[in-house]
């Protein structure tokens, strides 16, 4: 299953058209405007295909998504015009554009209300109807609100916290700590998310007693939500990487280099390798077309392509 943010443009629609030829692939496009629905409807009618879409809800000051009832009715009218080439299959929202829990819960209740109204009005053309939310920071709150709504089996709830796959040591680590503090179910599980994505780089220079220059830059790892954190140290020829001293830290990243603060007596040489934990994996995925998959012995056992 693939959900795509507001996909528009003939080249992109042609890619989707090709994907739809595969009967084993389920695709959903998000829509939030009548103009967008008209463009999609025109294109896929010409291809004699039917595109599945989810109505995206949004908030004032946020990203994409329907803001108010007037916009909602305009989108529904457009969907009715293109019912032969566009199939409304559910409702989608992303609560991560909001910062406080009260606003997030209000947004979630709105999504539930819209889903109920459209279900009662028989506006959906698939069963079960999809209701989807939950980025990586508030998935517990989304699960609570959607579960408490009492929606029956006609609605399938899909949570999509992307960082369950790799986690991180920055923004989502803090979010997970909040969840463990406030959510009794999460605490009862007695387990947590473990970072599963490292970016490795060589020590290129140790020009000062307490500074090393690392071949890691903004082209290699995300930096918008905090700099990468040194986690593992490996000297070629050693049996395995070891944990780095707690006082090692990045102080600055440039395009291709990073400044790492170390201790004056630390044993660090040019050619050593440092494995970094990262914050905000999305923008790190965006920088790498392939990722190596390692086993517990750090052997490469697979390579996966990224599509971000």
């Amino acid at each position: 299953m693939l959900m795509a943010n507001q996909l528009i443009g003939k080249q992109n629609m042609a890619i989707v058209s090709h994907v739809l030829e595969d009967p084993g692939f389920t695709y959903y496009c998000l829509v939030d405007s009548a103009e967008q629905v008209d463009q999609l409807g025109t294109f896929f009618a010409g291809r004699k295909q039917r595109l599945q879409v989810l109505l995206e809800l949004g908030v004032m000051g946020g990203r994409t998504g329907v803001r108010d009832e007037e916009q909602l009715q305009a989108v529904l009218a457009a969907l009715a015009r293109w019912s032969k080439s566009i199939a409304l299959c559910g409702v989608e929202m992303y609560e991560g554009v909001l910062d406080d829990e009260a606003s997030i819960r209000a947004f979630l209740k709105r999504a539930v209300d819209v889903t109920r109204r459209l279900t009662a009005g028989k506006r959906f053309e698939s069963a079960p109807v999809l209701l989807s939310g939950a980025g990586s920071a508030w998935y517990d709150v989304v699960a609570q609100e959607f579960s408490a709504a009492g929606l029956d089996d006609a609605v399938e709830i899909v949570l999509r916290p992307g960082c369950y796959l790799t986690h991180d040591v920055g923004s989502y680590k803090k979010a997970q700590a909040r969840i463990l503090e406030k959510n009794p179910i999460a605490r009862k599980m007695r387990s947590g998310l473990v970072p599963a994505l490292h970016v490795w780089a060589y020590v290129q220079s140790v020009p000062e007693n307490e500074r090393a220059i690392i071949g890691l830059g903004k082209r290699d790892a995300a930096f918008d939500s905090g700099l990468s954190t040194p986690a593992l140290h490996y000297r070629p020829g050693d049996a395995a990487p070891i944990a780095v001293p707690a006082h090692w830290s990045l102080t600055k990243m440039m395009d291709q280099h990073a400044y790492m603060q170390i201790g004056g007596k630390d044993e660090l040489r040019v050619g050593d390798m440092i494995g970094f934990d990262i914050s905000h994996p999305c923008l790190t995925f965006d920088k790498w077309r392939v990722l190596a998959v390692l086993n517990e012995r750090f052997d490469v056992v697979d390579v996966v392509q990224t599509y971000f």
Side-chain angles (χ1 to χ4, degrees):
M1 179 188 296
L2 178 64
M3 299 180 187
N5 286 323
Q6 299 188 302
L7 184 140
I8 213 71
K10 288 186 178 180
Q11 182 176 10
N12 288 336
M13 289 190 286
I15 294 172
V16 174
S17 176
H18 177 69
V19 168
L20 294 181
E21 295 174 0
D22 182 353
F25 194 84
T26 303
Y27 179 88
Y28 298 94
C29 181
L30 311 183
V31 296
D32 72 349
S33 72
E35 293 81 4
Q36 182 190 18
V37 173
D38 287 339
Q39 290 185 42
L40 292 169
T42 299
F43 181 89
F44 287 97
R47 295 291 181 102
K48 293 181 170 52
Q49 293 176 309
R50 201 168 193 223
L51 178 68
Q52 298 185 124
V53 302
L54 304 179
L55 173 70
E56 182 173 30
L57 301 181
V59 295
M60 294 300 295
R63 302 193 308 198
T64 52
V66 169
R67 262 58 165 173
D68 54 36
E69 187 66 21
E70 182 179 356
Q71 292 176 352
L72 173 61
Q73 293 305 319
V75 174
L76 293 175
L79 289 169
R81 290 195 298 272
W82 295 102
S83 59
K84 291 184 179 180
S85 55
I86 305 290
L88 180 61
C89 298
V91 174
E92 181 273 348
M93 43 86 73
Y94 172 59
E95 75 291 342
V97 294
L98 297 171
D99 295 324
D100 66 284
E101 186 171 328
S103 298
I104 289 169
R105 289 188 183 276
F107 188 21
L108 294 166
K109 286 180 170 63
R110 176 182 161 217
V112 169
D113 175 67
V114 170
T115 303
R116 277 205 182 100
R117 285 195 287 138
L118 297 185
T119 301
K122 302 187 184 304
R123 302 303 298 262
F124 296 112
E125 301 189 44
S126 65
V129 173
L130 293 181
L131 173 60
S132 179
S136 296
W138 295 95
Y139 63 85
D140 60 322
V141 174
V142 177
Q144 289 172 1
E145 290 292 338
F146 284 177
S147 298
L151 300 169
D152 59 28
D153 292 341
V155 177
E156 181 177 0
I157 296 171
V158 178
L159 305 184
R160 51 179 211 284
C163 283
Y164 79 92
L165 183 64
T166 61
H167 197 37
D168 78 357
V169 298
S171 55
Y172 294 125
K173 183 178 181 180
K174 295 176 183 176
Q176 184 68 9
R178 176 196 60 79
I179 292 171
L180 292 173
E181 178 184 353
K182 293 188 174 182
N183 190 298
I185 296 176
R187 288 198 304 271
K188 189 176 180 180
M189 292 173 66
R190 296 182 180 179
S191 62
L193 300 175
V194 177
L197 177 64
H198 286 131
V199 177
W200 285 88
Y202 284 99
V203 176
Q204 293 187 327
S205 177
V206 188
E208 303 169 13
N209 284 340
E210 297 184 352
R211 171 174 290 178
I213 305 302
I214 312 298
L216 173 81
K218 294 180 179 179
R219 297 177 178 179
D220 306 307
F223 55 90
D224 62 309
S225 189
L227 299 183
S228 302
T229 303
L232 296 170
H233 175 206
Y234 178 73
R235 178 162 296 157
D238 288 351
I242 59 175
V244 305
H247 58 268
W248 288 10
S249 66
L250 290 191
T251 60
K252 183 178 180 180
M253 285 179 68
M254 302 178 73
D255 289 352
Q256 299 178 28
H257 304 91
Y259 297 1
M260 190 170 78
Q261 188 74 25
I262 61 175
K265 296 182 179 180
D266 289 339
E267 180 65 21
L268 189 66
R269 300 177 187 172
V270 172
D272 286 359
M273 300 175 67
I274 309 296
F276 290 88
D277 286 327
I278 52 88
S279 179
H280 198 186
C282 293
L283 292 189
T284 301
F285 288 148
D286 188 47
K287 300 173 187 298
W288 298 90
R289 296 282 70 82
V290 294
L291 298 175
V293 180
L294 310 182
N295 61 19
E296 64 278 4
R297 298 185 302 274
F298 290 86
D299 300 321
V300 176
V301 296
D302 199 357
V303 174
V304 297
Q305 290 182 274
T306 61
Y307 297 89
F308 196 85

